[in-house]
Amino acid sequence: MPDIRSFERTEYQQVKADLHRKILDRLDLEKLGRTPGDTAREEVLVLIRNVVSGEAVPLSFAERERLSREILDEIFGLGPLEPLLKDPTVSDILVNRFDKVYVERGGRLEATAFSFKDTAHLMQIIDRIVSRVGRRVDESSPMVDARLADGSRVNAIIPPLALDGPCLSIRRFGRDPITARNMLENKSLTEPMLELLSAMVKGRLNLLISGGTGAGKTTLLNVLSGYIPNTDRIVTIEDAAELQLKQEHVVRLETRPPNIEGKGAVRQRQLVINSLRMRPDRIVIGEVRGEEAFDMLQAMNTGHEGSLTTVHANSTRDALARIENMVSMANLNIPERAVRHQIVSAIHAVVQVARLSDGTRRVMTVSEITGMEGDLIAMQDIFVFERQGMDEDGRIRGAFRATGNRPTFADRLAMAGFRLRPGLFEARLEV
């Protein structure tokens, strides 16, 4: 938090906590709950300013105003996190402990001067976040995934698993979702790559997006899902709802953790199976990470074409190996060759995304699954990103390249009415 000339940080936090308690004692919480949001904030801000101005504390007018705003954030928002959540340049907020808060800006991590009063204060904010989405975190369930109102992803882990106190990680989703135009401007991919991927989505081909943590898998999934026609019925399945689909006919499903007795959990596999009874045209799985991979392949092979999902993997080949391993988690004793045949017939292409060392995100490879060669899955790259070193500012230099391989599904797209430009796949470099 900003330095206060007249107080050490701990003294300032104590003054804020004392004033916070006084204001809560004066508030009629029942009446506040019936008051519209903006009106309630204004009424409470007036009360806070009156209380702060009546206190004998050596603060300037600007410091008193900042104190008033911070107390308002404690009552209505997420306390010290509010200024960071309002900052559009912040992509990640990482709270290592109550007095160590880091952010990511432009792909770079940096320490901030913001802090919580103590561990109990941080726990209070974590409880406020998870309770809003019907989840809980305590000693019996010390890890939790949740989301904020804007779709930002939240993970919290508390003692005894976190040795230095509660940890909070927030992956920001901006108020204005990233669009295809933004990705082109950021050079995350090229026009020909986007033309191909959008045609694949419109033409009802099944896509698997793979990449590491923070590589931009969900962002690309959101962008590509925008090309699904508005007439299609879409069912989304996620651990913590993050997808921001704009179509009218969307049904959103979310897993449920076990209750305090360890019962009542609803896993992704159950939701995938249930979604097949909901007459979906397309199924979008936020991330496949377990035995639901088998049911996802079954769905893709039985009339739910044009489905999309993501998976954690470091390459397109690794992505298919992970899917194969996940299918084995279902304990169905299916031979490896049969599983690979399922993958080949279900998934048409794999898109690999990566977060590079300079913080930029790129679509590294667009690969088509062409069939089986013996017992192995055959693939061919359509587009690749080739690194060419680093510049003097530490930025990755590179270029996108069309390999010259024409995908075998191009004829299928043409029959569906999506003809790709003849020169789209000609081997060339695009900076």
Side-chain angles (χ1 to χ4, degrees):
M1 89 181 291
D3 290 330
I4 305 298
R5 294 193 305 271
S6 308
F7 287 97
E8 295 294 332
R9 176 184 294 179
T10 52
E11 293 176 298
Y12 177 81
Q13 292 280 15
Q14 189 58 52
V15 168
K16 188 168 76 170
D18 292 342
L19 289 173
H20 188 193
R21 280 193 294 272
K22 287 183 181 180
I23 290 158
L24 286 178
D25 289 341
R26 295 193 188 185
L27 284 177
D28 183 342
L29 295 178
E30 186 176 342
K31 178 184 175 184
L32 197 64
R34 297 193 301 267
T35 307
D38 292 341
T39 304
R41 286 182 69 93
E42 288 302 319
E43 290 179 2
V44 173
L45 183 58
V46 171
L47 172 62
I48 292 171
R49 284 170 172 160
N50 290 337
V51 172
V52 171
S53 63
E55 291 293 313
V57 288
L59 295 174
S60 68
F61 175 80
E63 290 166 344
R64 287 174 183 269
E65 185 63 20
R66 182 167 60 245
L67 180 60
S68 299
R69 291 285 176 184
E70 289 174 5
I71 294 173
L72 189 68
D73 288 338
E74 292 288 346
I75 295 172
F76 287 99
L78 301 179
L81 299 178
E82 284 294 325
L84 298 176
L85 291 170
K86 293 171 183 173
D87 186 344
T89 66
V90 172
S91 57
D92 285 272
I93 302 171
L94 308 169
V95 183
N96 292 354
R97 44 182 265 179
F98 76 90
D99 56 350
K100 289 186 178 179
V101 181
Y102 293 80
V103 297
E104 180 187 288
R105 284 189 177 94
R108 308 277 183 173
L109 281 178
E110 58 185 65
T112 73
F114 291 85
S115 74
F116 296 81
K117 180 175 181 290
D118 50 28
T119 295
H121 184 201
L122 175 54
M123 272 303 305
Q124 179 186 354
I125 297 299
I126 291 174
D127 282 331
R128 186 176 298 177
I129 292 172
V130 301
S131 62
R132 286 176 179 174
V133 291
R135 305 207 168 188
R136 65 184 178 86
V137 60
D138 51 39
E139 282 194 13
S140 64
S141 180
M143 296 184 292
V144 67
D145 287 315
R147 66 183 185 279
L148 300 181
D150 65 358
S152 297
R153 181 187 310 171
V154 177
N155 175 269
I157 182 167
I158 67 170
L161 301 186
L163 301 182
D164 296 324
C167 295
L168 180 65
S169 306
I170 300 177
R171 174 75 48 79
R172 293 290 310 285
F173 269 49
R175 288 180 174 81
D176 299 319
I178 291 177
T179 63
R181 181 55 51 192
N182 297 143
M183 297 192 76
L184 291 172
E185 291 170 353
N186 296 335
K187 298 184 178 179
S188 296
L189 76 176
T190 62
E191 289 272 11
M193 296 167 76
L194 183 61
E195 182 179 340
L196 174 64
L197 294 174
S198 62
M200 291 176 68
V201 174
K202 294 173 185 174
R204 303 186 68 84
L205 300 187
N206 297 320
L207 272 176
L208 175 64
I209 300 170
S210 74
T213 301
K217 299 186 297 297
T218 305
T219 299
L220 181 59
L221 182 61
N222 264 322
V223 169
L224 295 183
S225 67
Y227 294 103
I228 298 175
N230 208 31
T231 53
D232 284 4
R233 175 175 168 84
I234 308 166
V235 176
T236 69
I237 299 167
E238 301 172 84
D239 264 343
E242 301 167 344
L243 296 174
Q244 300 169 312
L245 275 64
K246 302 301 182 186
Q247 289 84 349
E248 292 179 7
H249 209 161
V250 178
V251 179
R252 304 169 73 212
L253 306 180
E254 185 179 55
T255 61
R256 186 175 72 183
N259 61 22
I260 197 167
E261 297 173 347
K263 300 177 181 178
V266 178
R267 302 172 65 84
Q268 276 207 149
R269 185 177 188 191
Q270 295 169 271
L271 294 179
V272 173
I273 294 171
N274 189 78
S275 71
L276 301 178
R277 305 179 184 124
M278 300 172 66
R279 197 236 166 256
D281 291 308
R282 312 221 189 190
I283 298 173
V284 179
I285 304 176
E287 181 185 334
V288 61
R289 58 183 70 184
E291 56 194 15
E292 68 274 6
F294 172 75
D295 303 282
M296 177 195 72
L297 295 178
Q298 293 288 91
M300 289 177 171
N301 275 320
T302 54
H304 301 93
E305 296 170 322
S307 295
L308 305 167
T309 189
T310 74
V311 66
H312 268 84
N314 292 324
S315 70
T316 53
R317 181 66 64 180
D318 285 348
L320 299 185
R322 284 214 66 206
I323 295 292
E324 192 176 329
N325 291 336
M326 291 173 192
V327 170
S328 68
M329 294 179 186
N331 295 320
L332 298 172
N333 297 319
I334 303 174
E336 282 186 358
R337 185 177 174 83
V339 173
R340 290 170 185 167
H341 270 293
Q342 286 262 25
I343 292 172
V344 167
S345 59
I347 301 172
H348 296 97
V350 185
V351 183
Q352 181 70 29
V353 295
R355 180 179 180 274
L356 304 182
S357 57
D358 60 356
T360 57
R361 293 169 172 85
R362 296 279 189 273
V363 174
M364 303 299 291
T365 316
V366 179
S367 300
E368 179 194 14
I369 297 177
T370 56
M372 296 281 290
E373 291 182 358
D375 288 336
L376 299 177
I377 297 174
M379 304 178 72
Q380 67 172 1
D381 293 341
I382 310 299
F383 293 101
V384 296
F385 177 77
E386 294 183 342
R387 304 189 199 198
Q388 300 170 343
M390 300 182 73
D391 62 20
E392 58 275 9
D393 297 323
R395 294 284 178 180
I396 299 289
R397 289 190 295 108
F400 293 98
R401 180 172 66 88
T403 62
N405 295 324
R406 184 177 185 272
T408 58
F409 55 69
D411 292 335
R412 173 175 168 171
L413 290 178
M415 290 177 63
F418 303 100
R419 294 189 177 276
L420 300 169
R421 288 185 288 116
L424 192 67
F425 306 110
E426 290 180 1
R428 65 187 181 280
L429 281 179
E430 291 192 32
V431 179

Short mmCIF file of all heavy atoms in Angstrom, two decimals, residues 271-317:
data_model
loop_
_atom_site.label_atom_id
_atom_site.label_comp_id
_atom_site.label_asym_id
_atom_site.label_seq_id
_atom_site.Cartn_x
_atom_site.Cartn_y
_atom_site.Cartn_z
N LEU A 271 -20.45 -34.52 -15.39
CA LEU A 271 -21.07 -33.44 -16.15
C LEU A 271 -20.99 -33.71 -17.65
O LEU A 271 -21.93 -33.40 -18.40
CB LEU A 271 -20.39 -32.11 -15.82
CG LEU A 271 -20.58 -31.59 -14.39
CD1 LEU A 271 -19.83 -30.27 -14.21
CD2 LEU A 271 -22.05 -31.42 -14.06
N VAL A 272 -19.86 -34.29 -18.11
CA VAL A 272 -19.74 -34.62 -19.54
C VAL A 272 -20.79 -35.65 -19.92
O VAL A 272 -21.49 -35.52 -20.94
CB VAL A 272 -18.32 -35.13 -19.86
CG1 VAL A 272 -18.26 -35.63 -21.31
CG2 VAL A 272 -17.28 -34.02 -19.66
N ILE A 273 -20.94 -36.69 -19.09
CA ILE A 273 -21.94 -37.72 -19.37
C ILE A 273 -23.34 -37.12 -19.37
O ILE A 273 -24.16 -37.40 -20.26
CB ILE A 273 -21.83 -38.86 -18.33
CG1 ILE A 273 -20.50 -39.60 -18.50
CG2 ILE A 273 -23.00 -39.84 -18.46
CD1 ILE A 273 -20.20 -40.59 -17.40
N ASN A 274 -23.62 -36.26 -18.39
CA ASN A 274 -24.94 -35.64 -18.32
C ASN A 274 -25.20 -34.72 -19.50
O ASN A 274 -26.32 -34.63 -20.01
CB ASN A 274 -25.10 -34.86 -17.01
CG ASN A 274 -26.51 -34.38 -16.80
OD1 ASN A 274 -27.39 -35.14 -16.41
ND2 ASN A 274 -26.76 -33.10 -17.10
N SER A 275 -24.14 -34.03 -19.96
CA SER A 275 -24.31 -33.07 -21.06
C SER A 275 -24.79 -33.77 -22.34
O SER A 275 -25.47 -33.17 -23.17
CB SER A 275 -23.01 -32.33 -21.34
OG SER A 275 -22.04 -33.18 -21.93
N LEU A 276 -24.45 -35.06 -22.50
CA LEU A 276 -24.87 -35.79 -23.69
C LEU A 276 -26.38 -35.98 -23.74
O LEU A 276 -26.95 -36.24 -24.80
CB LEU A 276 -24.17 -37.15 -23.75
CG LEU A 276 -22.63 -37.11 -23.77
CD1 LEU A 276 -22.06 -38.52 -23.78
CD2 LEU A 276 -22.13 -36.33 -24.97
N ARG A 277 -27.03 -35.84 -22.59
CA ARG A 277 -28.49 -35.99 -22.52
C ARG A 277 -29.19 -34.64 -22.68
O ARG A 277 -30.41 -34.56 -22.54
CB ARG A 277 -28.88 -36.62 -21.18
CG ARG A 277 -28.19 -37.96 -20.90
CD ARG A 277 -28.61 -38.52 -19.55
NE ARG A 277 -27.87 -39.74 -19.24
CZ ARG A 277 -27.14 -39.92 -18.15
NH1 ARG A 277 -27.04 -38.96 -17.26
NH2 ARG A 277 -26.51 -41.06 -17.95
N MET A 278 -28.42 -33.58 -22.91
CA MET A 278 -28.98 -32.24 -22.96
C MET A 278 -29.12 -31.71 -24.39
O MET A 278 -29.29 -30.53 -24.59
CB MET A 278 -28.11 -31.29 -22.13
CG MET A 278 -28.02 -31.69 -20.66
SD MET A 278 -26.82 -30.71 -19.72
CE MET A 278 -27.58 -29.10 -19.78
N ARG A 279 -28.99 -32.59 -25.37
CA ARG A 279 -29.09 -32.25 -26.77
C ARG A 279 -28.17 -31.08 -27.17
O ARG A 279 -28.57 -30.10 -27.78
CB ARG A 279 -30.55 -31.90 -27.13
CG ARG A 279 -30.86 -31.92 -28.64
CD ARG A 279 -31.43 -30.56 -29.06
NE ARG A 279 -31.45 -30.39 -30.49
CZ ARG A 279 -30.56 -29.63 -31.13
NH1 ARG A 279 -29.60 -29.03 -30.50
NH2 ARG A 279 -30.64 -29.49 -32.44
N PRO A 280 -26.87 -31.22 -26.86
CA PRO A 280 -25.95 -30.16 -27.28
C PRO A 280 -25.54 -30.30 -28.73
O PRO A 280 -25.43 -31.42 -29.25
CB PRO A 280 -24.74 -30.38 -26.36
CG PRO A 280 -24.73 -31.85 -26.13
CD PRO A 280 -26.18 -32.28 -26.11
N ASP A 281 -25.35 -29.18 -29.42
CA ASP A 281 -24.72 -29.21 -30.74
C ASP A 281 -23.20 -29.26 -30.57
O ASP A 281 -22.50 -29.89 -31.36
CB ASP A 281 -25.11 -27.98 -31.56
CG ASP A 281 -26.58 -28.01 -31.96
OD1 ASP A 281 -26.99 -29.04 -32.54
OD2 ASP A 281 -27.29 -27.04 -31.67
N ARG A 282 -22.74 -28.54 -29.55
CA ARG A 282 -21.30 -28.50 -29.28
C ARG A 282 -21.06 -28.59 -27.78
O ARG A 282 -21.83 -28.05 -26.99
CB ARG A 282 -20.69 -27.21 -29.79
CG ARG A 282 -21.09 -26.84 -31.21
CD ARG A 282 -19.94 -26.33 -31.96
NE ARG A 282 -20.35 -25.79 -33.25
CZ ARG A 282 -19.49 -25.45 -34.19
NH1 ARG A 282 -18.21 -25.59 -34.00
NH2 ARG A 282 -19.91 -24.96 -35.35
N ILE A 283 -19.98 -29.26 -27.43
CA ILE A 283 -19.57 -29.33 -26.02
C ILE A 283 -18.21 -28.64 -25.91
O ILE A 283 -17.29 -28.95 -26.66
CB ILE A 283 -19.48 -30.79 -25.54
CG1 ILE A 283 -20.84 -31.47 -25.64
CG2 ILE A 283 -18.95 -30.86 -24.11
CD1 ILE A 283 -20.81 -32.96 -25.35
N VAL A 284 -18.11 -27.70 -24.98
CA VAL A 284 -16.86 -26.98 -24.75
C VAL A 284 -16.41 -27.29 -23.33
O VAL A 284 -17.11 -26.93 -22.36
CB VAL A 284 -17.03 -25.46 -24.96
CG1 VAL A 284 -15.71 -24.74 -24.68
CG2 VAL A 284 -17.51 -25.16 -26.37
N ILE A 285 -15.28 -27.97 -23.19
CA ILE A 285 -14.74 -28.31 -21.87
C ILE A 285 -13.58 -27.37 -21.58
O ILE A 285 -12.60 -27.33 -22.34
CB ILE A 285 -14.28 -29.78 -21.81
CG1 ILE A 285 -15.44 -30.72 -22.20
CG2 ILE A 285 -13.77 -30.13 -20.43
CD1 ILE A 285 -15.06 -32.17 -22.26
N GLY A 286 -13.69 -26.62 -20.49
CA GLY A 286 -12.67 -25.63 -20.16
C GLY A 286 -11.28 -26.23 -20.13
O GLY A 286 -10.33 -25.67 -20.69
N GLU A 287 -11.12 -27.37 -19.47
CA GLU A 287 -9.84 -28.09 -19.47
C GLU A 287 -10.10 -29.54 -19.13
O GLU A 287 -10.78 -29.85 -18.15
CB GLU A 287 -8.86 -27.49 -18.46
CG GLU A 287 -7.53 -28.21 -18.46
CD GLU A 287 -6.57 -27.70 -17.39
OE1 GLU A 287 -6.70 -26.53 -16.97
OE2 GLU A 287 -5.70 -28.48 -16.97
N VAL A 288 -9.59 -30.45 -19.96
CA VAL A 288 -9.73 -31.87 -19.67
C VAL A 288 -8.50 -32.28 -18.86
O VAL A 288 -7.37 -31.98 -19.23
CB VAL A 288 -9.88 -32.69 -20.98
CG1 VAL A 288 -8.67 -32.55 -21.88
CG2 VAL A 288 -10.13 -34.15 -20.66
N ARG A 289 -8.74 -32.95 -17.73
CA ARG A 289 -7.61 -33.25 -16.85
C ARG A 289 -7.71 -34.62 -16.18
O ARG A 289 -6.93 -34.93 -15.28
CB ARG A 289 -7.49 -32.17 -15.77
CG ARG A 289 -8.74 -32.02 -14.92
CD ARG A 289 -8.58 -30.88 -13.92
NE ARG A 289 -8.58 -29.59 -14.56
CZ ARG A 289 -8.39 -28.43 -13.92
NH1 ARG A 289 -8.19 -28.43 -12.63
NH2 ARG A 289 -8.40 -27.29 -14.58
N GLY A 290 -8.68 -35.44 -16.59
CA GLY A 290 -8.82 -36.74 -15.94
C GLY A 290 -9.61 -37.71 -16.79
O GLY A 290 -9.61 -37.65 -18.02
N GLU A 291 -10.32 -38.58 -16.11
CA GLU A 291 -11.02 -39.68 -16.78
C GLU A 291 -12.12 -39.22 -17.73
O GLU A 291 -12.57 -39.98 -18.57
CB GLU A 291 -11.62 -40.61 -15.72
CG GLU A 291 -12.53 -39.89 -14.75
CD GLU A 291 -12.86 -40.72 -13.53
OE1 GLU A 291 -12.19 -41.73 -13.28
OE2 GLU A 291 -13.82 -40.34 -12.83
N GLU A 292 -12.53 -37.94 -17.61
CA GLU A 292 -13.56 -37.43 -18.53
C GLU A 292 -13.06 -37.38 -19.97
O GLU A 292 -13.84 -37.20 -20.91
CB GLU A 292 -14.04 -36.05 -18.10
CG GLU A 292 -13.04 -34.93 -18.24
CD GLU A 292 -12.11 -34.77 -17.04
OE1 GLU A 292 -12.19 -35.62 -16.12
OE2 GLU A 292 -11.34 -33.80 -17.01
N ALA A 293 -11.74 -37.55 -20.17
CA ALA A 293 -11.19 -37.55 -21.53
C ALA A 293 -11.84 -38.63 -22.38
O ALA A 293 -12.09 -38.43 -23.57
CB ALA A 293 -9.67 -37.75 -21.48
N PHE A 294 -12.12 -39.80 -21.79
CA PHE A 294 -12.75 -40.88 -22.54
C PHE A 294 -14.13 -40.46 -23.03
O PHE A 294 -14.48 -40.66 -24.21
CB PHE A 294 -12.86 -42.14 -21.67
CG PHE A 294 -13.66 -43.24 -22.29
CD1 PHE A 294 -13.13 -44.01 -23.33
CD2 PHE A 294 -14.95 -43.51 -21.87
CE1 PHE A 294 -13.87 -45.02 -23.92
CE2 PHE A 294 -15.70 -44.52 -22.46
CZ PHE A 294 -15.16 -45.27 -23.49
N ASP A 295 -14.93 -39.89 -22.15
CA ASP A 295 -16.29 -39.48 -22.52
C ASP A 295 -16.27 -38.33 -23.51
O ASP A 295 -17.14 -38.22 -24.38
CB ASP A 295 -17.08 -39.10 -21.27
CG ASP A 295 -17.12 -40.25 -20.28
OD1 ASP A 295 -17.90 -41.19 -20.48
OD2 ASP A 295 -16.33 -40.21 -19.32
N MET A 296 -15.23 -37.46 -23.42
CA MET A 296 -15.09 -36.38 -24.38
C MET A 296 -14.84 -36.94 -25.78
O MET A 296 -15.46 -36.50 -26.76
CB MET A 296 -13.94 -35.47 -23.97
CG MET A 296 -13.64 -34.33 -24.94
SD MET A 296 -12.03 -33.59 -24.64
CE MET A 296 -10.93 -34.88 -25.22
N LEU A 297 -13.94 -37.93 -25.88
CA LEU A 297 -13.67 -38.55 -27.19
C LEU A 297 -14.92 -39.23 -27.72
O LEU A 297 -15.21 -39.16 -28.93
CB LEU A 297 -12.53 -39.56 -27.06
CG LEU A 297 -11.14 -39.00 -26.71
CD1 LEU A 297 -10.14 -40.14 -26.57
CD2 LEU A 297 -10.66 -38.00 -27.76
N GLN A 298 -15.66 -39.90 -26.85
CA GLN A 298 -16.89 -40.56 -27.26
C GLN A 298 -17.88 -39.54 -27.83
O GLN A 298 -18.53 -39.78 -28.84
CB GLN A 298 -17.54 -41.29 -26.07
CG GLN A 298 -16.76 -42.48 -25.56
CD GLN A 298 -16.82 -43.65 -26.51
OE1 GLN A 298 -15.98 -43.82 -27.38
NE2 GLN A 298 -17.83 -44.48 -26.36
N ALA A 299 -18.00 -38.40 -27.15
CA ALA A 299 -18.92 -37.35 -27.61
C ALA A 299 -18.51 -36.82 -28.97
O ALA A 299 -19.35 -36.63 -29.87
CB ALA A 299 -18.98 -36.22 -26.58
N MET A 300 -17.20 -36.57 -29.15
CA MET A 300 -16.71 -36.04 -30.42
C MET A 300 -16.95 -37.04 -31.55
O MET A 300 -17.09 -36.64 -32.71
CB MET A 300 -15.22 -35.72 -30.30
CG MET A 300 -14.89 -34.51 -29.44
SD MET A 300 -13.10 -34.27 -29.29
CE MET A 300 -13.04 -32.65 -28.49
N ASN A 301 -16.98 -38.33 -31.22
CA ASN A 301 -17.14 -39.37 -32.23
C ASN A 301 -18.59 -39.75 -32.49
O ASN A 301 -18.88 -40.56 -33.37
CB ASN A 301 -16.38 -40.63 -31.79
CG ASN A 301 -14.92 -40.59 -32.19
OD1 ASN A 301 -14.58 -40.14 -33.26
ND2 ASN A 301 -14.05 -41.03 -31.30
N THR A 302 -19.52 -39.18 -31.72
CA THR A 302 -20.92 -39.62 -31.83
C THR A 302 -21.86 -38.44 -32.04
O THR A 302 -22.89 -38.34 -31.37
CB THR A 302 -21.34 -40.41 -30.57
OG1 THR A 302 -21.08 -39.61 -29.41
CG2 THR A 302 -20.59 -41.72 -30.46
N GLY A 303 -21.49 -37.53 -32.93
CA GLY A 303 -22.44 -36.50 -33.34
C GLY A 303 -22.29 -35.15 -32.69
O GLY A 303 -23.09 -34.25 -32.97
N HIS A 304 -21.27 -34.96 -31.82
CA HIS A 304 -21.08 -33.64 -31.21
C HIS A 304 -19.81 -33.02 -31.79
O HIS A 304 -18.87 -32.66 -31.08
CB HIS A 304 -21.00 -33.76 -29.69
CG HIS A 304 -22.23 -34.37 -29.09
ND1 HIS A 304 -22.34 -35.72 -28.85
CD2 HIS A 304 -23.42 -33.83 -28.73
CE1 HIS A 304 -23.54 -35.98 -28.35
NE2 HIS A 304 -24.21 -34.85 -28.28
N GLU A 305 -19.79 -32.91 -33.11
CA GLU A 305 -18.63 -32.37 -33.80
C GLU A 305 -18.55 -30.86 -33.57
O GLU A 305 -19.54 -30.20 -33.29
CB GLU A 305 -18.73 -32.69 -35.29
CG GLU A 305 -18.69 -34.18 -35.57
CD GLU A 305 -19.03 -34.50 -37.00
OE1 GLU A 305 -19.93 -33.80 -37.55
OE2 GLU A 305 -18.43 -35.41 -37.58
N GLY A 306 -17.34 -30.34 -33.73
CA GLY A 306 -17.14 -28.92 -33.50
C GLY A 306 -16.92 -28.60 -32.04
O GLY A 306 -17.07 -27.46 -31.60
N SER A 307 -16.53 -29.62 -31.25
CA SER A 307 -16.30 -29.41 -29.82
C SER A 307 -14.88 -28.91 -29.59
O SER A 307 -13.97 -29.16 -30.39
CB SER A 307 -16.55 -30.70 -29.04
OG SER A 307 -17.91 -31.07 -29.13
N LEU A 308 -14.68 -28.21 -28.48
CA LEU A 308 -13.40 -27.58 -28.15
C LEU A 308 -13.02 -27.92 -26.72
O LEU A 308 -13.88 -28.03 -25.84
CB LEU A 308 -13.50 -26.06 -28.29
CG LEU A 308 -13.97 -25.48 -29.61
CD1 LEU A 308 -14.31 -24.00 -29.46
CD2 LEU A 308 -12.87 -25.62 -30.66
N THR A 309 -11.72 -28.05 -26.48
CA THR A 309 -11.24 -28.23 -25.11
C THR A 309 -9.78 -27.84 -25.03
O THR A 309 -9.12 -27.61 -26.06
CB THR A 309 -11.44 -29.68 -24.63
OG1 THR A 309 -11.15 -29.76 -23.23
CG2 THR A 309 -10.50 -30.64 -25.36
N THR A 310 -9.24 -27.77 -23.82
CA THR A 310 -7.82 -27.47 -23.61
C THR A 310 -7.20 -28.55 -22.74
O THR A 310 -7.90 -29.29 -22.04
CB THR A 310 -7.60 -26.10 -22.92
OG1 THR A 310 -7.96 -26.19 -21.53
CG2 THR A 310 -8.42 -25.01 -23.58
N VAL A 311 -5.87 -28.63 -22.80
CA VAL A 311 -5.13 -29.59 -21.98
C VAL A 311 -3.76 -29.01 -21.67
O VAL A 311 -3.19 -28.26 -22.48
CB VAL A 311 -4.99 -30.95 -22.72
CG1 VAL A 311 -4.14 -30.82 -23.96
CG2 VAL A 311 -4.43 -32.03 -21.80
N HIS A 312 -3.23 -29.32 -20.49
CA HIS A 312 -1.88 -28.91 -20.13
C HIS A 312 -0.88 -29.83 -20.83
O HIS A 312 -0.89 -31.04 -20.62
CB HIS A 312 -1.67 -29.01 -18.62
CG HIS A 312 -1.96 -27.74 -17.90
ND1 HIS A 312 -3.23 -27.39 -17.51
CD2 HIS A 312 -1.15 -26.73 -17.50
CE1 HIS A 312 -3.18 -26.22 -16.88
NE2 HIS A 312 -1.94 -25.80 -16.87
N ALA A 313 0.00 -29.27 -21.66
CA ALA A 313 1.03 -30.06 -22.33
C ALA A 313 2.05 -29.10 -22.93
O ALA A 313 1.75 -27.95 -23.22
CB ALA A 313 0.43 -30.94 -23.42
N ASN A 314 3.29 -29.61 -23.12
CA ASN A 314 4.37 -28.77 -23.63
C ASN A 314 4.55 -28.86 -25.14
O ASN A 314 5.38 -28.14 -25.71
CB ASN A 314 5.69 -29.15 -22.94
CG ASN A 314 5.68 -28.78 -21.47
OD1 ASN A 314 5.11 -27.76 -21.09
ND2 ASN A 314 6.29 -29.61 -20.64
N SER A 315 3.83 -29.76 -25.79
CA SER A 315 3.90 -29.86 -27.25
C SER A 315 2.64 -30.57 -27.73
O SER A 315 1.90 -31.16 -26.95
CB SER A 315 5.14 -30.65 -27.69
OG SER A 315 5.02 -32.02 -27.34
N THR A 316 2.42 -30.51 -29.04
CA THR A 316 1.24 -31.16 -29.58
C THR A 316 1.31 -32.68 -29.38
O THR A 316 0.31 -33.33 -29.11
CB THR A 316 1.09 -30.84 -31.08
OG1 THR A 316 2.32 -31.16 -31.75
CG2 THR A 316 0.80 -29.37 -31.30
N ARG A 317 2.51 -33.24 -29.51
CA ARG A 317 2.68 -34.68 -29.30
C ARG A 317 2.43 -35.05 -27.84
O ARG A 317 1.78 -36.05 -27.54
CB ARG A 317 4.09 -35.09 -29.74
CG ARG A 317 4.42 -36.55 -29.61
CD ARG A 317 3.61 -37.43 -30.52
NE ARG A 317 3.85 -37.20 -31.93
CZ ARG A 317 3.24 -37.87 -32.90
NH1 ARG A 317 2.33 -38.80 -32.60
NH2 ARG A 317 3.49 -37.61 -34.17
#
